[in-house]
Amino acid sequence: MKTLELILQSYADYAWGLPLLIILIGGGLYLLVRSQFLPFRYFFHAINVLRGKYDDPDAVGEITHFQALSTALASTIGMGNIAGVAVAIHIGGPGAMFWMWISAIIGMSTKFFTCTLAIMFRGKDSNGDVQGGPMYFIMEGLGKSWKPLAVFFSICGLIGALPVFNVNQLKQAINFILLEPNGIVETDTSNFIIGLILVAITAVVILGGLDRISKTAERLVPSMVFLYFVLVLIILGVYIEEVPKYLGLMFTDAFAANNYSGDSFLGGVVGGLILLGVRRGAFSNEAGIGTAPMAHGASKTNEPVREGLVAMLGPAIDTLVVCTLTALAILVTGVWQTTEANGVSLTAAAFNDAIPVYGNYLLLICIATFSISSLFTYSYYGSKCMSFLFGAHNKHYYNYFYIASIILGAVTPLSMMLNLIDGTFALMAIPTMTATILLAPKVVKEIKAYSKKMKL
């Protein structure tokens, strides 16, 4: 058993290692150049699309642009935005944030291409319903001979979308912030109760299908980001004199080792690529993994480029806004230098320092909201993969398996299963990025046609 655990640990480490870095960052840079830096050129047009200025109620699809983005963000804005950033700073110092920004800019381009393809090459499931996602744009864009790649993505998606990792992290946060300080010792019973509560909340939403998931996300995502934004503003207000200093260090500390971190460039790259952050809390913006195209592929639009533009806003919100807020809260309070705490406990220390008594509890509300919203969307991703592999009439079985895994994640450490899920999630990037790079010229052609049509 110990040997198996070491094998799975090595598997997860390798999956999130240098090969993934090359696929996601190298491929993303290629797409950014091929699009002629489209995320910057069409950013404000993307905002107008998101606001519904160009909505067509008669277009093919199930949900609006805003619901699609909210659904995708519900999975990416998870507890990792709180714990994962803390890990990156713990390793890389303030300069880690600079590399996160770089990864977000590259990720915006990747999200644009993958989600444009999700609309360009929508397929049909066994019920004849229109569907989008990497498995469909592989089949429709590259041809039937590429089906093994689509099947590989879907198999990885079945495992990678399981919520064990996220639930395990949330359980730890509840025990650390709420139960232990109030004298409640963590037991199997207390963890089981946490699991049951999460099951009840999740089941109500996910058993209602995409319509209920998207409507819940549409309400939940903006409110949770706003609450977190207000709380961090309070912290920054308390330490206002420290803000300019650390904003500057995020740039200067990214390239040179100094007193603030032992090896800032190395640590910053790890943090900036969000590799360690993803391992600790599904913290990545998931650009290139292939999850977001499954949500955006259901959007009501006949213009692929528009959905790609909306999708590219995801990494900006997830990393440039939410992760930066977390980093500033940790840095300006100084807890990253005065405590040995790491992960969620480091972020909790920052909140407790600036907002005594109530800070930890307010943070727990954010953590719980972020994590639970992630649970909703990952179930949809897994059921889409189930539908592709075994037929649309069987996809509901995945939800029952998904709900059972929530209990599993709450009551057991499951380090082996966590590594299996974590590594398999990373492997989803291989088929997604392979197909995206091969189909990139078709997206570029679509961009030119759209620009000419809209006179942009």
Side-chain angles (χ1 to χ4, degrees):
M1 190 66 73
K2 189 173 182 180
T3 302
L4 180 60
E5 186 171 350
L6 289 172
I7 290 171
L8 289 174
Q9 176 70 57
S10 299
Y11 161 70
D13 288 341
Y14 184 78
W16 283 111
L18 186 60
L20 189 75
L21 184 157
I22 295 170
I23 292 169
L24 293 180
I25 302 304
L29 281 170
Y30 165 75
L31 297 174
L32 187 63
V33 173
R34 281 302 303 262
S35 69
Q36 297 180 333
F37 298 89
L38 180 138
F40 304 104
R41 295 189 291 118
Y42 290 172
F43 188 84
F44 292 105
H45 179 66
I47 298 292
N48 286 330
V49 174
L50 180 64
R51 289 172 51 219
K53 185 175 179 179
Y54 304 100
D55 280 1
D56 179 2
D58 298 322
V60 176
E62 300 177 69
I63 56 180
T64 65
H65 291 298
F66 186 76
Q67 287 174 333
L69 180 62
S70 296
T71 302
L73 282 174
S75 68
T76 61
I77 301 181
M79 188 182 147
N81 293 76
I82 295 172
V85 175
V87 170
I89 290 175
H90 184 77
I91 294 175
M97 200 60 232
F98 174 85
W99 296 105
M100 290 182 197
W101 293 335
I102 296 299
S103 74
I105 292 169
I106 295 171
M108 287 173 71
S109 180
T110 304
K111 274 275 176 80
F112 168 79
F113 273 82
T114 56
C115 294
T116 297
L117 287 170
I119 300 295
M120 283 179 69
F121 296 107
R122 285 197 268 210
K124 290 185 178 181
D125 61 22
S126 60
N127 285 342
D129 296 324
V130 175
Q131 300 288 350
M135 64 285 262
Y136 292 101
F137 69 65
I138 289 171
M139 292 282 289
E140 302 298 322
L142 295 177
K144 305 297 182 184
S145 61
W146 290 82
K147 185 174 181 178
L149 201 63
V151 170
F152 177 73
F153 172 85
S154 299
I155 292 173
C156 290
L158 284 178
I159 302 170
L162 289 175
V164 175
F165 192 46
N166 198 31
V167 170
N168 189 271
Q169 292 281 299
L170 177 56
K171 175 199 72 175
Q172 290 180 26
I174 292 172
N175 283 314
F176 178 79
I177 296 174
L178 181 63
L179 302 185
E180 290 177 10
N182 290 290
I184 301 174
V185 179
E186 179 183 353
T187 63
D188 290 340
T189 302
S190 66
N191 288 334
F192 184 71
I193 292 172
I194 292 172
L196 284 180
I197 293 171
L198 293 177
V199 163
I201 296 171
T202 305
V204 168
V205 177
I206 70 174
L207 295 181
L210 177 60
D211 183 59
R212 190 177 296 171
I213 292 172
S214 63
K215 286 180 178 177
T216 303
E218 182 182 30
R219 296 180 178 91
L220 202 58
V221 170
S223 59
M224 71 180 182
V225 172
F226 178 75
L227 171 62
Y228 195 60
F229 184 75
V230 170
L231 292 176
V232 175
L233 281 184
I234 293 172
I235 295 175
L236 298 185
V238 174
Y239 291 92
I240 190 65
E241 71 282 354
E242 297 290 331
V243 174
K245 169 186 172 183
Y246 283 107
L247 280 174
L249 280 173
M250 286 179 184
F251 290 93
T252 59
D253 197 41
F255 298 97
N258 54 38
N259 293 330
Y260 292 99
S261 58
D263 188 350
S264 186
F265 181 76
L266 177 59
V269 169
V270 174
L273 298 174
I274 320 178
L275 299 181
L276 189 55
V278 171
R279 292 293 309 279
R280 295 298 179 91
F283 155 74
S284 171
N285 53 49
E286 295 175 21
I289 298 295
T291 50
M294 289 190 273
H296 286 282
S299 182
K300 284 185 178 180
T301 183
N302 294 324
E303 292 286 355
V305 171
R306 282 182 188 157
E307 195 56 37
L309 290 171
V310 169
M312 78 178 189
L313 298 174
I317 297 169
D318 177 271
T319 306
L320 298 182
V321 176
V322 180
C323 291
T324 301
L325 290 175
T326 301
L328 283 171
I330 292 170
L331 292 170
V332 299
T333 55
V335 295
W336 65 290
Q337 290 180 304
T338 59
T339 177
E340 291 299 315
N342 196 2
V344 67
S345 57
L346 181 60
T347 310
F351 273 70
N352 191 56
D353 182 88
I355 313 174
V357 183
Y358 302 106
N360 278 350
Y361 298 110
L362 291 170
L363 176 63
L364 184 59
I365 292 173
C366 293
I367 289 173
T369 310
F370 285 6
S371 295
I372 290 170
S373 68
S374 297
L375 296 180
F376 302 154
T377 307
Y378 278 117
S379 69
Y380 172 66
Y381 295 154
S383 65
K384 288 262 286 193
C385 293
M386 184 82 165
S387 175
F388 180 81
L389 291 170
F390 303 108
H393 60 287
N394 289 317
K395 69 178 182 181
H396 63 283
Y397 290 117
Y398 185 81
N399 286 333
Y400 304 131
F401 181 57
Y402 186 89
I403 288 169
S405 71
I406 293 176
I407 293 288
L408 209 59
V411 300
T412 58
L414 286 176
S415 58
M416 286 191 295
M417 191 170 180
L418 294 179
N419 285 324
L420 175 65
I421 292 171
D422 200 20
T424 306
F425 185 76
L427 293 182
M428 294 166 68
I430 296 173
T432 300
M433 290 302 294
T434 300
T436 301
I437 290 170
L438 290 174
L439 293 169
K442 295 185 178 182
V443 177
V444 172
K445 185 177 179 180
E446 190 76 17
I447 294 170
K448 292 177 180 177
Y450 182 77
S451 299
K452 187 176 180 180
K453 178 181 176 180
M454 300 300 295
K455 300 178 180 178
L456 295 173

